Amino acid sequence: QLQEHYPSDERHKGFGIKWSSTASDNTASVGAVLASLTVSLTSTSLSSDEKQPRSFFRRTPFQPNFVSNAVFIVSMFQNAVITMVNHGGRPFSVSFLESRPLCLSVGLSFLLAIACLAETLPMVNNFIQLAPFPTKSSKVALLRLLVINLSSCYFIEYFSTFIFRRDVWRERNESYQHHALSTLGTLAADEEERLLLEERKQNSILVYFLCLVTFNFVVKILR
C-alpha cells in the first residue's frame, strides 16, 4: 500500500528507499529494509564521488572565488598595516624610515596587494590562484576598504599617542635634521646619528618610488 501511495522515481537523486517485493510475506523483514537502505546510500555516495574528484587527502579541490580573493588581499594588506603602525620608533628604536628592511617589507606588501587587485600582472594572479574579479565596482569597493583600513589605523595610533603619551609624540615628531646638527662632535653617538640621517634620506627615496608605482596601479583600478 505504501508503494502505491509513494511510487519510486528512478530520476530522484539522493536518499531514497528501495522497495522490495513482499508478496510472500505481509510484513517486510527489518534486514531487507536495512539492506535496501545500504545499497541506496552506497550508490549515491559513489555517484557523488565520480562527479566531484578529490585530492590525495580526500578534500575537494580549491576553487578560487571573490571571497577568497578578498580574504587574501585584505589579510596581506592588514599585516603590513599592523607592522607599520605598531612599530615603536623613537625613542624606543629607529624610526620607520631609518630601517630599510622594514620599508621594503611594508612597501612591497602594499604594492603586491594593489597589483593583485588591479590584475595588471595575470601571471602573478594565476600563480597565487586568484579568481578574476567579477566587476569593476568590486575592485573599487575593495580598494576603498583598504584605504579606510590604512588611514583609520594610522590616525587612531597617532592621536592615541598624542593624548596618552605626549612625551613619546614629541620625540617622534621632532626634526631629525635639527637633532643631527645639534650634536656636532666626535663621539660615536654623533656619527651614528649622521648615518641614520643618511639612511632616512635614502629610504625616503625608496618609499616615494614604491608609492609612485602603487599609485599607478590605483589609477588603473579607477580608470
Side-chain angles (χ1 to χ4, degrees), residues 28-38:
S29 64
V30 178
V33 174
L34 292 178
S36 301
L37 291 175
T38 305

Side-chain angles (χ1 to χ4, degrees), residues 63-74:
Q63 296 294 335
N65 49 43
F66 177 71
V67 176
S68 62
N69 290 2
V71 170
F72 174 78
I73 293 176
V74 173

Side-chain angles (χ1 to χ4, degrees), residues 15-98:
F15 180 81
I17 297 178
K18 183 177 180 181
W19 296 100
S20 59
S21 177
T22 57
S24 60
D25 193 0
N26 293 330
T27 305
S29 64
V30 178
V33 174
L34 292 178
S36 301
L37 291 175
T38 305
V39 172
S40 178
L41 290 175
T42 304
S43 60
T44 303
S45 61
L46 289 176
S47 61
S48 62
D49 289 342
E50 292 175 358
K51 294 180 181 179
Q52 297 182 355
R54 296 182 179 272
S55 61
F56 178 77
F57 296 101
R58 306 291 297 174
R59 294 181 180 178
T60 304
F62 173 71
Q63 296 294 335
N65 49 43
F66 177 71
V67 176
S68 62
N69 290 2
V71 170
F72 174 78
I73 293 176
V74 173
S75 298
M76 179 172 56
F77 194 88
Q78 182 64 29
N79 288 333
V81 170
I82 292 174
T83 303
M84 182 184 68
V85 172
N86 289 346
H87 178 65
R90 290 179 179 268
F92 309 104
S93 61
V94 295
S95 64
F96 177 78
L97 291 176
E98 292 173 349

Side-chain angles (χ1 to χ4, degrees), residues 24-191:
S24 60
D25 193 0
N26 293 330
T27 305
S29 64
V30 178
V33 174
L34 292 178
S36 301
L37 291 175
T38 305
V39 172
S40 178
L41 290 175
T42 304
S43 60
T44 303
S45 61
L46 289 176
S47 61
S48 62
D49 289 342
E50 292 175 358
K51 294 180 181 179
Q52 297 182 355
R54 296 182 179 272
S55 61
F56 178 77
F57 296 101
R58 306 291 297 174
R59 294 181 180 178
T60 304
F62 173 71
Q63 296 294 335
N65 49 43
F66 177 71
V67 176
S68 62
N69 290 2
V71 170
F72 174 78
I73 293 176
V74 173
S75 298
M76 179 172 56
F77 194 88
Q78 182 64 29
N79 288 333
V81 170
I82 292 174
T83 303
M84 182 184 68
V85 172
N86 289 346
H87 178 65
R90 290 179 179 268
F92 309 104
S93 61
V94 295
S95 64
F96 177 78
L97 291 176
E98 292 173 349
S99 175
R100 179 164 298 179
L102 186 60
C103 293
L104 283 175
S105 61
V106 173
L108 292 178
S109 297
F110 287 159
L111 180 60
L112 180 60
I114 301 299
C116 292
L117 183 59
E119 294 182 310
T120 308
L121 305 173
M123 294 180 59
V124 177
N125 285 34
N126 293 333
F127 178 77
I128 306 177
Q129 295 185 356
L130 295 179
F133 286 88
T135 58
K136 177 184 175 182
S137 60
S138 61
K139 296 182 182 180
V140 175
L142 191 55
L143 177 63
R144 188 184 299 114
L145 176 64
L146 297 180
V147 173
I148 294 175
N149 184 12
L150 174 61
S151 58
S152 60
C153 290
Y154 177 79
F155 285 111
I156 288 174
E157 194 277 338
Y158 183 84
F159 287 110
S160 297
T161 306
F162 176 78
I163 295 173
F164 300 105
R165 294 298 303 273
R166 190 68 60 88
D167 53 341
V168 176
W169 183 85
R170 290 197 189 97
E171 185 68 21
R172 289 181 181 178
N173 292 275
E174 70 177 358
S175 175
Y176 288 89
Q177 185 176 2
H178 175 73
H179 182 74
L181 294 177
S182 63
T183 56
L184 295 176
T186 58
L187 298 178
D190 302 333
E191 185 65 22

